[in-house]
Amino acid sequence: MRRTALAAAIPFALMLPSTILAQVNPPDCPALRAAARTTCADEAAVAACVANRIPDQCASTTSELDRVTVVGTRFAIDVQKYPGSASVLLSDDLDDSTDIIQALKKVPGIDTGGDGGRAIGQGFTIRGFGHGSESRVILMQDGVRRSANLFANQVSGLSMDSDLLKQVDVVRGSSGITYGGGAIGGVIGSTTKDAGDFILPGRSVGVTASARFDSNNRNQAYGAFAIAPQDSPFEFLAFVKQSEGADLKLAGRNVDGSRTTTQTDDEITTVFAKAGWRIADGHALSLSHYDYTIDSRAGWNSLYHTAYPTTYGAVIGERVQRDTVLRYTAHPGNSQWLDLTATAYRTEGFYERGYASGVDLYYKNLDERWGVSAQNLMRFSTGAVAHRLLVGVDFEHREEDGIYILDGERTSFQSMPNRYRDLGVFVQHESLWFNERLAVQLGGRYDQFDREVLGVAEDYDKSRFSPRIGLSWELLDGLNLLANYSEAFRAPTPHETSSDGPLNIHYWYKPNPHLKSETSREYEAGFSWQTTGLLLDADRFSAKAMYFKGRIEDMIRLVVDHGSVSPENSEYASFRNVDGVDRKGFELEAAYDLPAWGGYLTYESLDMTDVATGEKSPTAFADRARVGLRWRPVNDDLTLSIDYTHWFKPEQNPETVVSGGTTYWYVREPFNQTNVQLRWRPVNSHVDFFDGSTQFLIGINNLFDQRRLNASAVETNNRSSLGRNIYLSVTKQF
C-alpha cells in the first residue's frame, strides 16, 4: 500500500478532532474499496487502505480519512469504536508547527508549556504525567521506545521529526497494557513514512523538496528521494532535513512589563533511510535507520533557564537519537491464522554538554537499548461470532549511564551505570456479537522486569500481570456505547531504589531496594455518534465523549527526613511508596462538516488529587476548550482554517507556595490563543507545476501574541509560551 503525501493527502487542512473522524465512502469508488479488502490485513483498516490509495476522481467525495489506531490494542480499530480515549494524527495534522510536541498539544489530554520553547527543552504531560515523570509515559517511534529526558532535568523532547511521520497514535490513561510498564499517563506511538509516501500516482520514482520559514527564528528545508517500481520487489527512501533556530520570542508582557526572549542557537539534522523487500506474496522485510541530532547553545537547564549563564556563557551540547529497526511481516494470501510481525532494533540516545568557557566540565547522559518483539493476529469465527486473537512477546535490554567530569574529577551517581531487562507476554482477544454490533475486548499482559545497578550486588526483580476489558455496543446505527477497565503499572527505576550519597546540594540520598511498583486502575465510559444528513443532505456529524476515573496507588516520591543532618550538612531523603493519587476527568470532541465548510469543538477536564491530603497532585490542570472552523472559498485545493483555544481558570489547591521567604500565587486566571492557516494545493491541467503536487502553506501561530501560563506555574513566571509566529512553506513533488 502506498500513499501520496500531497496528491492523496487530507482534503481538509483543518485537523478535525481525531477520535471522531470517519470515512464517508466515495460512492463512485466501489472497485477500489473491494480491492483494498484483498490487500489489507484487517477489516478495520480497509478504509485506511482506500484513503491511502484513493484516486483523484474520488478525492472530492471524501470528507475525511478514517482514523484507525493500533496503539490501544495492537490491532487496527476505528477510534470511534475504540472503548477508550485515543487519537490519531496524520501528516497534515502536524505541519502547523516545526516541533512534534507543539503539534500534539491539540490532542485532548496532552498539555504543554511552562518551558522556554527550545527544541531541546519542552515540557509535556499526558493525563498528568510527562517530563519529570517520564517513566510514567511510553514514547515510541516504529515500535522503538525512547526516553524524553535521559534522566536529566536539563532536557526534554520526543526526538521525532514531524515531516517524516505518517501517523501518530495517542492513547491516554492506563489502556496501553500491551506495551508494558509505564503506560500510566499514556502512550505516544509514531510511524515513519515509506517510499510510496513521496511518489506521485503512476510513477516509480519520486523526489520531494520543501522549504519553510518561521518568523520566530526558525528556518528549515528537507529533501527526499524514493524509488518503488511496480514490477520490482524492492523500494528505497532517503530523507535529509536541516533546521536552524535562534533566539525565541515568548508571548506578551510579563508582570513587570518586560518581554522575555529565550536565548538559544541550535541546528537540527535529520537523516533517515528505509529499504523494503517484498520477499514473496504476503512476506516483506524492511530495514530503516534514523539519525536525529540537535547541536545547541542553551542555558544549563534548557527548559527553565531562558538566558545563558552570566558567568560562564552558554552551555554547548549535542542531543542525539539513533534508531535502527529491522521488521519482517507475513500475511500470505487470505490466511486467517498467520498475520505475523517480528521486529528487532537497536537504539542509542545521549545528551552531552559543557560550558562554553570558564569551567572544565563534561556531562553526558546515555541511554542504549536493543530489543526484539513478535506478534501474530488470528481471525476466525465460531458460528455467528467473529474473533480476533492477538498473541505476542516483547523483550528489551536497556543500559543507562551518567558521566559527570568537573575539573578532571568524575562524580559517581551511585545508581549508574544500570541495566534494565524487561520481558512481556500479552494476549488481546476481540469477539463480535449480534451482527458485529457488540464488540468485547479482553486482554492481559504478564511482565517480568529486572533492574540492576552495575557493581551493586542487590538487584530488583519482580513481575506483574495487567488486565483489560473493553466493550463497544452499537446501540443504533452510528451510535456506540463505550466502556473500558484497564490496569497499568510502573516499576521503580534504579535511581529510585539505589541512589546513595550527596547527589545534589539539597539532600543526601539513601537507597530503598524495597519499593513496590506503582499501579493504576482506571475506568472509562462514554459514547460515540457519527451520522450523515443530520441537517443537510451533504453534511456529516461526529462526536465522542469519554469520562474516566481511577486511582494510582503506591506512588513513588522523594521523601525528605526533615531535621536530619548528613555529613554534607544537608538533609537525608529517599524514594518511598506514599499515598496514592485519584484521577478523574472528561473529554468531549464534536465536529460538523459540509463540503464547503466545517467546524469542531473539543472540551477536556482533568483533576488529580492526593488521596491523603486532597491537594492537587502532581499539579493543578486547567480545563480547556477548543473551537475550530474551516472554509474552502474556491474549491478543494484551497482551505482557510482558524482555531481558538481557551484555558479556564484553574482550581488551585494549594493556592500558594513559599520560596525563600516569599509567597507566590499559582496561576489563577484564564488564557486564550488563536491560530490561522491557509493551505493551497493548486490543480491546473494546463500547468505542470500546478498539478496537485505542489503545496503552499501560510499560517500564524498565536495570532494575537497572547500569553499563556501553565497551571503548574506561579503568576510571576516569565515562561509564557511562544510568541506570535508567521510561517510559510512550499513543498513540491516531482
Side-chain angles (χ1 to χ4, degrees):
M1 296 182 296
R2 294 176 183 164
R3 177 172 176 235
T4 304
L6 295 179
I10 302 175
F12 296 163
L14 178 64
M15 183 201 115
L16 298 179
S18 54
T19 62
I20 60 177
L21 298 177
Q23 177 80 14
V24 176
N25 296 340
D28 54 340
C29 303
L32 182 64
R33 178 164 288 273
R37 295 189 185 278
T38 67
T39 58
C40 295
D42 189 270
E43 280 294 307
V46 167
C49 292
V50 174
N52 291 344
R53 302 162 57 197
I54 195 164
D56 292 341
Q57 63 267 28
C58 301
S60 62
T61 62
T62 306
S63 63
E64 232 328 334
L65 302 184
D66 268 306
R67 304 293 170 122
V68 176
T69 180
V70 295
V71 167
T73 58
R74 281 206 181 187
F75 50 68
I77 182 171
D78 187 339
V79 290
Q80 280 287 88
K81 295 189 176 183
Y82 174 70
S85 302
S87 297
V88 173
L89 279 67
L90 303 177
S91 57
D92 275 15
D93 305 327
L94 305 174
D95 59 14
D96 58 343
S97 174
T98 58
D99 187 272
I100 185 67
I101 292 180
Q102 293 296 315
L104 286 173
K105 68 183 180 182
K106 65 189 68 172
V107 175
I110 292 185
D111 195 22
T112 63
D115 53 68
R118 295 186 178 101
I120 200 170
Q122 295 193 56
F124 70 95
T125 60
I126 310 174
R127 285 261 174 102
F129 299 106
H131 170 70
S133 57
E134 69 158 22
S135 57
R136 298 183 180 100
V137 299
I138 295 176
L139 308 173
M140 299 182 299
Q141 180 170 292
D142 289 339
V144 176
R145 281 206 192 196
R146 59 182 46 168
S147 169
N149 63 15
L150 304 169
F151 187 59
N153 63 359
Q154 295 89 9
V155 61
S156 177
L158 304 191
S159 298
M160 300 176 187
D161 193 312
S162 54
D163 285 316
L164 189 57
L165 298 181
K166 176 184 297 188
Q167 178 167 314
V168 179
D169 291 43
V170 182
V171 174
R172 280 95 70 189
S174 305
S175 295
I177 65 168
T178 56
Y179 297 96
I184 290 179
V187 181
I188 296 176
S190 63
T191 305
T192 56
K193 294 177 180 177
D194 301 305
D197 295 293
F198 295 95
I199 299 177
L200 291 170
R203 299 185 184 180
S204 299
V205 178
V207 175
T208 301
S210 179
R212 173 169 172 149
F213 165 80
D214 284 63
S215 65
N216 202 354
N217 288 332
R218 181 159 295 281
N219 299 307
Q220 66 178 40
Y222 75 80
F225 170 78
I227 180 170
Q230 294 288 340
D231 56 353
S232 172
F234 299 101
E235 64 178 44
F236 177 75
L237 167 65
F239 176 96
V240 178
K241 179 177 175 181
Q242 191 75 22
S243 175
E244 295 183 353
D247 291 354
L248 298 168
K249 297 176 182 178
L250 300 188
R253 299 284 178 177
N254 299 318
V255 175
D256 60 2
S258 65
R259 187 179 183 111
T260 301
T261 297
T262 300
Q263 288 184 287
T264 188
D265 182 7
D266 64 50
E267 182 177 295
I268 306 174
T269 303
T270 305
V271 178
F272 180 74
K274 180 186 286 188
W277 177 25
R278 296 188 299 277
I279 303 171
D281 182 28
H283 298 264
L285 193 68
S286 68
L287 176 65
S288 66
H289 180 74
Y290 175 79
D291 193 312
Y292 181 87
T293 301
I294 304 178
D295 290 310
S296 72
R297 297 171 66 90
W300 177 249
N301 190 309
S302 65
L303 286 95
Y304 307 134
H305 296 166
T306 56
Y308 298 153
T310 56
T311 305
Y312 307 116
V315 173
I316 300 176
E318 184 178 57
R319 169 67 169 101
V320 173
Q321 183 69 43
R322 298 190 182 108
D323 307 328
T324 301
V325 183
L326 176 66
R327 176 166 290 120
Y328 167 73
T329 58
H331 182 55
N334 293 318
S335 172
Q336 67 184 58
W337 301 109
L338 181 62
D339 189 352
L340 173 69
T341 301
T343 304
Y345 62 86
R346 180 175 178 83
T347 179
E348 175 190 35
F350 65 82
Y351 178 41
E352 58 181 356
R353 65 273 196 199
Y355 284 107
S357 61
V359 177
D360 180 14
L361 173 67
Y362 175 79
Y363 189 13
K364 181 177 182 178
N365 292 90
L366 177 65
D367 182 347
E368 296 180 311
R369 310 179 191 218
W370 64 264
V372 294
S373 66
Q375 66 177 54
N376 185 57
L377 178 62
M378 294 165 279
R379 305 168 186 82
F380 56 94
S381 298
T382 54
V385 181
H387 301 267
R388 290 193 293 180
L389 177 62
L390 180 76
V391 294
V393 60
D394 298 319
F395 175 78
E396 182 176 83
H397 176 103
R398 175 186 181 189
E399 294 185 5
E400 284 185 305
D401 203 357
I403 304 170
Y404 187 94
I405 303 174
L406 178 62
D407 295 329
E409 183 176 345
R410 178 166 178 168
T411 296
S412 173
F413 285 94
Q414 303 298 328
S415 61
M416 291 187 181
N418 60 54
R419 179 182 297 148
Y420 296 61
R421 295 186 187 92
D422 293 341
L423 174 66
V425 179
F426 57 89
V427 177
Q428 286 277 353
H429 175 258
E430 179 187 69
S431 56
L432 301 176
W433 303 73
F434 310 119
N435 294 322
E436 300 188 359
R437 285 189 173 272
L438 175 64
V440 180
Q441 296 176 358
L442 298 173
R445 180 182 174 106
Y446 173 80
D447 284 280
Q448 177 72 40
F449 45 90
D450 188 352
R451 308 286 189 262
E452 176 186 9
V453 177
L454 302 185
V456 176
E458 188 172 6
D459 64 358
Y460 189 91
D461 185 356
K462 302 288 183 180
S463 62
R464 179 71 164 77
F465 177 77
S466 304
R468 174 182 176 267
I469 179 171
L471 300 173
S472 174
W473 179 25
E474 190 173 10
L475 182 63
L476 301 171
D477 288 345
L479 177 62
N480 301 285
L481 302 183
L482 308 170
N484 186 72
Y485 170 77
S486 57
E487 296 184 10
F489 78 98
R490 182 186 78 90
T493 68
H495 318 295
E496 293 166 333
T497 60
S498 305
S499 291
D500 188 8
L503 303 187
N504 58 44
I505 61 174
H506 304 290
Y507 309 117
W508 183 292
Y509 285 74
K510 299 173 67 176
N512 183 5
H514 304 294
L515 284 172
K516 295 184 291 185
S517 295
E518 297 176 345
T519 302
S520 174
R521 296 177 174 87
E522 195 159 49
Y523 298 88
E524 296 180 274
F527 73 91
S528 66
W529 182 33
Q530 53 185 349
T531 186
T532 58
L534 180 65
L535 301 176
L536 299 171
D537 289 342
D539 71 8
R540 180 174 60 86
F541 175 78
S542 300
K544 186 172 183 179
M546 296 297 297
Y547 173 79
F548 57 91
K549 183 177 182 180
R551 173 168 292 184
I552 306 164
E553 298 178 321
D554 295 320
M555 287 286 292
I556 299 174
R557 304 183 192 274
L558 186 66
V559 179
V560 179
D561 292 330
H562 293 291
S564 62
V565 181
S566 74
E568 296 285 334
N569 290 321
S570 58
E571 294 178 306
Y572 286 104
S574 62
F575 289 96
R576 303 175 192 171
N577 293 109
V578 297
D579 287 326
V581 171
D582 284 332
R583 175 171 64 184
K584 63 181 179 180
F586 177 74
E587 295 171 359
L588 167 68
E589 302 174 276
Y592 182 78
D593 194 35
L594 282 166
W597 64 272
Y600 70 85
L601 166 69
T602 72
Y603 175 79
E604 61 185 281
S605 175
L606 173 64
D607 188 31
M608 297 177 61
T609 56
D610 185 275
V611 172
T613 66
E615 294 183 348
K616 304 298 182 181
S617 177
T619 65
F621 294 90
D623 295 351
R624 179 176 66 161
R626 187 166 176 255
V627 180
L629 294 172
R630 66 107 191 126
W631 179 44
R632 291 187 299 192
V634 181
N635 49 42
D636 290 350
D637 59 40
L638 182 65
T639 304
L640 175 65
S641 61
I642 181 170
D643 69 83
Y644 168 82
T645 302
H646 176 78
W647 289 269
F648 294 86
K649 175 183 176 181
E651 179 185 346
Q652 300 283 9
N653 179 22
E655 296 182 331
T656 62
V657 62
V658 178
S659 178
T662 301
T663 299
Y664 298 91
W665 283 85
Y666 285 111
V667 169
R668 48 182 172 172
E669 62 179 307
F671 298 98
N672 309 288
Q673 287 188 350
T674 304
N675 305 309
V676 295
Q677 185 185 82
L678 177 68
R679 187 190 304 274
W680 185 34
R681 294 189 178 105
V683 178
N684 188 321
S685 59
H686 303 293
V687 182
D688 290 342
F689 191 81
F690 297 137
D691 59 357
S693 62
T694 305
Q695 174 181 272
F696 298 92
L697 195 65
I698 303 172
I700 306 177
N701 296 326
N702 197 1
L703 176 63
F704 301 109
D705 196 36
Q706 294 174 293
R707 299 176 76 237
R708 184 252 163 164
L709 297 180
N710 191 285
S712 63
V714 295
E715 293 180 332
T716 54
N717 179 23
N718 62 358
R719 297 187 296 274
S720 57
S721 77
L722 290 171
R724 181 189 297 114
N725 175 60
I726 303 171
Y727 59 91
L728 168 66
S729 76
V730 181
T731 302
K732 172 65 179 176
Q733 282 189 293
F734 301 92

